[in-house]
Amino acid sequence: MYKKNVHSLVLSGMLAVIALLLSFFSFAVPFLPPFLKFDFTFIPLFMALLLLGYKDALLVSFLKNFLHFALLSHEPIGSIANIVVEFTFISIIVLFYKKGTAKTIIGGILGTLAITLFMSLLNYFVLLPAYGYIMNLADIATNVKTIVAVGIVPFNLLKGALVTFLFFVTKSVYKSIPTSIRSRFA
């Protein structure tokens, strides 16, 4: 029991660091606000979900965002937004991914809609006003509706589609791992 817990914690920490490193390879989407960026940090989160389980996937997400805040960004708004998106999507996809491809696609669609709704509301009422206050940007506070409607909603719809695709890629890589190795993590 003790060995498995230590093993899971070490692997979770390693996956969190891999996710942090993957966050350096982010890219902005043309015609959307430049602070909204895609990255591939969901891949280690999905590996944690498939190898270790739901709680460890959430732990990897939390560790990655904490490290990003502490070491790189030093502003909490982006890390909070990432945690909300990652927790929401993982919490929904975990309900569907073991039930076949069609159900996983439905889970991806529901996850996409959920992150779009949650992030629209969270950005409108909390994150964008807080970011405008912290960074002393009056433009953000006066244009919250426009930023949410033209930036946040389309970005999260695209991100949900990309993350669903990444889940299928990660799941196919996971299936290619020999069963003898996968059984060590279960």
Side-chain angles (χ1 to χ4, degrees):
M1 181 72 170
Y2 174 75
K3 188 175 182 180
K4 183 180 178 189
N5 289 338
V6 171
H7 187 265
S8 295
L9 280 174
V10 170
L11 186 57
S12 295
M14 289 172 44
L15 288 170
V17 170
I18 291 169
L20 179 68
L21 292 174
L22 284 173
S23 71
F24 287 113
F25 302 102
S26 62
F27 57 95
V29 180
F31 308 111
L32 291 178
F35 61 87
L36 299 172
K37 295 185 178 184
F38 289 120
D39 57 30
F40 299 101
T41 59
F42 264 95
I43 294 172
L45 301 179
F46 290 147
M47 279 307 252
L49 176 66
L50 296 169
L51 287 171
L52 302 170
Y54 174 69
K55 290 179 184 177
D56 290 305
L58 296 182
L59 175 65
V60 169
S61 172
F62 178 77
L63 288 173
K64 186 261 305 186
N65 285 296
F66 176 76
L67 290 171
H68 191 271
F69 167 72
L71 300 175
L72 302 173
S73 70
H74 305 297
E75 60 89 13
I77 305 300
S79 297
I80 291 169
N82 279 334
I83 286 175
V84 170
V85 167
E86 292 165 357
F87 277 33
T88 303
F89 196 87
I90 289 172
S91 296
I92 291 175
I93 203 76
V94 77
L95 301 172
F96 294 92
Y97 80 94
K98 291 183 180 178
K99 299 177 182 176
T101 304
K103 296 282 185 175
T104 305
I105 292 171
I106 292 170
I109 292 169
L110 290 175
T112 300
L113 294 174
I115 64 172
T116 302
L117 177 68
F118 289 155
M119 292 312 295
S120 296
L121 294 172
L122 192 62
N123 273 292
Y124 184 79
F125 291 110
V126 179
L127 296 179
L128 286 174
Y131 188 74
Y133 178 75
I134 290 172
M135 301 304 282
N136 198 19
L137 299 172
D139 292 346
I140 289 178
T142 58
N143 297 320
V144 172
K145 286 181 185 178
T146 305
I147 294 171
V148 169
V150 178
I152 303 298
V153 171
F155 174 78
N156 283 302
L157 290 172
L158 289 171
K159 183 169 185 148
L162 175 69
V163 168
T164 302
F165 172 74
L166 287 176
F167 181 76
F168 282 107
V169 170
T170 307
K171 193 171 179 183
S172 68
V173 169
Y174 171 76
K175 287 181 179 178
S176 70
I177 298 171
T179 309
S180 60
I181 295 174
R182 280 191 283 173
S183 64
R184 293 180 188 175
F185 300 110

